[in-house]
Amino acid sequence: MVEINLPIKNTRHKHLKQYSIKAHSYPISSEQISSLLNYHNHLRLSTSLNQQDEQVIQELETQIDGSLKTFKNAIVKIAGSCALDYTREPSQKQTIKNLKKELKNLYKQEPKSLMIKQAEGKKLTKIQNSILNCFVKATIETLKVSKGKQALKLLLNSRQVYKLLLQHQEDEKNKRNKKEKVLGEKKDKKIQKGKENAKEKKNEKEKEKKNVKEKEKENGKEKENGKEKENGKEKEIKNKTEKEIEIEIFDEEEEEEEKEKKKKKKKGVEKEKKIFLVVKKWIEIEPMFEFRGFVKNNNLTAVTQRHTEVCFPELELYAKDISKTIRSFFKSSLQNLDFLSNNKDYIIDFFIYQKNLFDDFKITILGIDSFNKFKNPGLFNWVTDKNVLFGNAKYQFRFRMKPLQNPFEMLSDVWGKNIEKKLIPESVYGNLSKNIIIVVLLILLFIVFLLFILGVF
């Protein structure tokens, strides 16, 4: 299933099945949203959960476990949000654990002595870039879950998920209040009309009564049966209370509402905005081969690497072939699809892979989203690169060719400080000062030794 966030009727398309990752999606009810919000507060603020919330959370965990029986490992996210952002929040302790593992692997691959020499020669940029690559891999690894309980903890530890659910809850509440207000105004108008109609009827009856009396006086005849019937009708009008009038009006209103609902259902207009929980099968993805493409007027205008903070030196070797593969894939597989050509502007995320070393590159789509300036443009800029992104200049494929001077600046202050001070072992930075001190001491000892020898002889 490809996650598609576009204004189209059906987001499950057979055409994209061969290019997508298997996934299950579940609509989240307003009751579940409320419980999830409470669960977030429980995890972050240690607040207590009531029995109903516990039951709802347990049901969701069981639902996710059902999908995990099929997938074994998966990524669990809220549709329309960036899962990677969850793992980059300082509250995610699992990311720190994964980063430590990645750094250990890095130090095994690159001997400490080599890294120290690079650092002593003031070539820290390459080391920092390698460490930042470890950070990206660690954040991706944190998304890998094997149990429903683990998945919900990861989701609800995220401030971003909390805000997204809270915003959805508030939007739905505002919609309900708006509807209730409109219905209340309609009821008030109908009640007022009912009262006015009742007064008019009463006035008409009084006029009729006067006319009858005048005729009776003229004719000199009194009809008791007629009088009794008229009196009975008058009593009925007088005894008719405002509540009865209101009940009649409400009954009429309910009938009208039902008719309107039926009409809307027939037209397909009545659609509630739902929020979905997505359970996507876990597959190993090399960050270097993740890309984001921009489509304007049904033309691919630009492609950028997704993990923009890292420089992948190997990418330069594959750049031409990758760009050619992406453009060819777009023309043959996406450009002519009706549901996408009708939505001519969108952003597409995907990754490229080879089954074997000498095979051609293949593409798997990760998601399709709306084309707007609030989306991350990668190595492009919505203002300075407007002509490129909007198709008024030549197509461009961008990737970072040189490491940043200070790669840690791309991260939040919390992560930057954590990586630089706590997570990077002394073999990279701390050992530099130790090594200098040791070298100085050895030189001093050697001088002392020489002086001692010279003094003896």
Side-chain angles (χ1 to χ4, degrees):
M1 186 188 85
V2 174
E3 191 182 334
I4 302 172
N5 299 308
L6 293 173
I8 51 182
K9 290 180 180 178
N10 183 18
T11 58
R12 293 171 180 265
H13 293 276
K14 292 177 183 178
H15 312 83
L16 299 177
K17 195 174 181 181
Q18 58 185 314
Y19 311 118
S20 62
I21 302 168
K22 289 181 181 178
H24 297 158
S25 62
Y26 307 101
I28 308 173
S29 67
S30 55
E31 182 190 2
Q32 287 172 326
I33 288 171
S34 181
S35 295
L36 287 170
L37 291 170
N38 291 338
Y39 187 51
H40 169 86
N41 292 329
H42 171 71
L43 292 172
R44 297 289 290 267
L45 306 171
S46 300
T47 57
S48 58
L49 286 174
N50 60 41
Q51 195 174 352
Q52 188 182 354
D53 288 337
E54 285 177 356
Q55 190 178 343
V56 170
I57 297 300
Q58 199 171 1
E59 285 170 2
L60 281 169
E61 287 172 359
T62 306
Q63 206 171 25
I64 295 167
D65 283 329
S67 293
L68 288 167
K69 282 180 183 178
T70 308
F71 301 144
K72 290 185 179 178
N73 295 310
I75 290 174
V76 180
K77 56 172 284 190
I78 301 297
S81 64
C82 178
L84 205 59
D85 289 344
Y86 310 163
T87 63
R88 295 193 174 195
E89 294 183 21
S91 58
Q92 300 293 6
K93 293 178 182 178
Q94 188 59 43
T95 301
I96 296 172
K97 289 180 183 177
N98 292 337
L99 182 54
K100 285 179 178 177
K101 287 179 187 176
E102 290 292 337
L103 289 171
K104 279 182 183 178
N105 293 333
L106 175 68
Y107 304 137
K108 284 177 185 176
Q109 291 168 12
E110 296 190 35
K112 291 178 185 178
S113 58
L114 177 66
M115 297 187 80
I116 291 164
K117 281 180 183 178
Q118 286 178 338
E120 284 173 345
K122 295 182 180 179
K123 292 181 180 178
L124 292 172
T125 305
K126 187 179 176 183
I127 300 167
Q128 289 174 330
N129 186 67
S130 299
I131 292 164
L132 201 57
N133 191 16
C134 289
F135 174 73
V136 171
K137 286 180 179 178
T139 56
I140 293 170
E141 189 67 24
T142 302
L143 290 171
K144 184 180 178 181
V145 294
S146 56
K147 292 180 181 179
K149 191 172 184 178
Q150 181 192 1
L152 285 185
K153 273 191 175 181
L154 173 68
L155 276 178
L156 275 304
N157 241 325
S158 166
R159 193 72 186 163
Q160 189 202 49
V161 173
Y162 176 78
K163 285 178 181 177
L164 198 148
L165 293 173
L166 189 65
Q167 186 61 50
H168 182 82
Q169 189 184 56
E170 286 175 0
D171 290 345
E172 290 302 308
K173 190 179 177 181
N174 290 335
K175 280 181 186 177
R176 284 195 300 271
N177 291 340
K178 197 175 179 181
K179 279 183 182 178
E180 285 172 9
K181 191 179 178 182
V182 170
L183 288 173
E185 286 173 357
K186 281 183 180 179
K187 283 177 184 178
D188 291 340
K189 283 179 183 178
K190 285 180 180 180
I191 290 167
Q192 192 61 36
K193 273 188 180 180
K195 287 178 180 179
E196 287 172 4
N197 290 336
K199 282 181 181 179
E200 284 176 9
K201 284 179 183 179
K202 193 177 178 182
N203 292 334
E204 283 174 8
K205 289 290 177 184
E206 284 177 357
K207 282 179 183 179
E208 283 178 14
K209 187 183 171 184
K210 284 179 182 179
N211 290 335
V212 169
K213 282 182 179 179
E214 284 173 4
K215 283 180 182 179
E216 284 175 356
K217 284 178 182 179
E218 286 173 4
N219 297 328
K221 295 178 182 179
E222 290 182 0
K223 294 180 181 179
E224 290 179 6
N225 294 334
K227 277 186 180 181
E228 284 173 6
K229 285 179 183 179
E230 284 169 15
N231 290 335
K233 285 178 182 178
E234 283 175 27
K235 283 178 183 178
E236 280 177 14
I237 292 163
K238 285 178 182 178
N239 292 332
K240 202 166 193 179
T241 61
E242 286 184 6
K243 285 183 181 179
E244 287 173 334
I245 292 164
E246 285 176 21
I247 289 165
E248 283 181 5
I249 291 159
F250 294 151
D251 289 339
E252 286 173 11
E253 184 190 345
E254 283 173 9
E255 284 175 14
E256 283 179 17
E257 280 177 12
E258 282 177 14
K259 285 177 184 177
E260 282 177 15
K261 280 180 183 178
K262 284 176 183 177
K263 284 179 184 178
K264 284 179 181 179
K265 280 178 183 178
K266 284 179 183 178
K267 290 178 183 178
V269 175
E270 197 176 85
K271 282 186 180 179
E272 288 183 8
K273 191 181 178 183
K274 290 182 180 178
I275 195 163
F276 287 86
L277 184 73
V278 178
V279 183
K280 191 180 285 187
K281 185 181 178 180
W282 172 265
I283 55 169
E284 297 292 336
I285 298 174
E286 182 60 45
M288 178 172 70
F289 293 116
E290 282 191 71
F291 299 94
R292 169 163 284 189
F294 300 86
V295 179
K296 186 71 179 173
N297 294 323
N298 205 27
N299 287 310
L300 185 67
T301 59
V303 174
T304 174
Q305 71 179 68
R306 281 201 74 192
H307 303 287
T308 56
E309 59 270 74
V310 186
C311 169
F312 302 105
E314 305 90 339
L315 198 55
E316 194 171 355
L317 300 171
Y318 304 105
K320 286 182 181 178
D321 290 335
I322 288 172
S323 181
K324 189 179 176 181
T325 302
I326 291 167
R327 296 185 81 180
S328 176
F329 171 77
F330 176 76
K331 284 179 182 177
S332 62
S333 305
L334 297 178
Q335 198 167 30
N336 297 321
L337 288 181
D338 290 337
F339 80 96
L340 284 176
S341 58
N342 293 333
N343 295 272
K344 294 181 179 181
D345 308 334
Y346 56 91
I347 291 171
I348 181 166
D349 292 327
F350 50 88
F351 72 92
I352 290 179
Y353 65 99
Q354 287 174 297
K355 286 188 176 179
N356 297 303
L357 185 63
F358 299 104
D359 287 352
D360 292 334
F361 284 112
K362 293 189 176 182
I363 290 178
T364 294
I365 300 171
L366 296 170
I368 298 173
D369 213 335
S370 56
F371 185 99
N372 67 66
K373 64 182 180 180
F374 297 106
K375 303 297 177 184
N376 188 344
L379 291 173
F380 292 94
N381 186 291
W382 284 109
V383 179
T384 56
D385 297 310
K386 188 177 179 181
N387 286 335
V388 177
L389 296 171
F390 281 73
N392 299 320
K394 284 185 180 180
Y395 158 87
Q396 287 189 22
F397 175 70
R398 289 186 186 178
F399 59 94
R400 194 172 291 286
M401 297 182 75
K402 291 181 180 179
L404 292 162
Q405 286 299 315
N406 188 1
F408 297 153
E409 284 182 357
M410 293 288 284
L411 304 177
S412 65
D413 290 340
V414 176
W415 276 116
K417 288 173 184 175
N418 267 325
I419 290 171
E420 203 156 11
K421 290 182 179 179
K422 296 178 184 178
L423 299 172
I424 299 175
E426 291 179 349
S427 59
V428 179
Y429 293 111
N431 273 4
L432 295 180
S433 55
K434 282 186 179 180
N435 287 328
I436 291 164
I437 292 166
I438 289 166
V439 169
V440 170
L441 286 171
L442 286 169
I443 292 166
L444 288 170
L445 284 169
F446 182 71
I447 292 166
V448 170
F449 179 71
L450 282 173
L451 290 170
F452 178 74
I453 292 169
L454 290 168
V456 169
F457 293 103

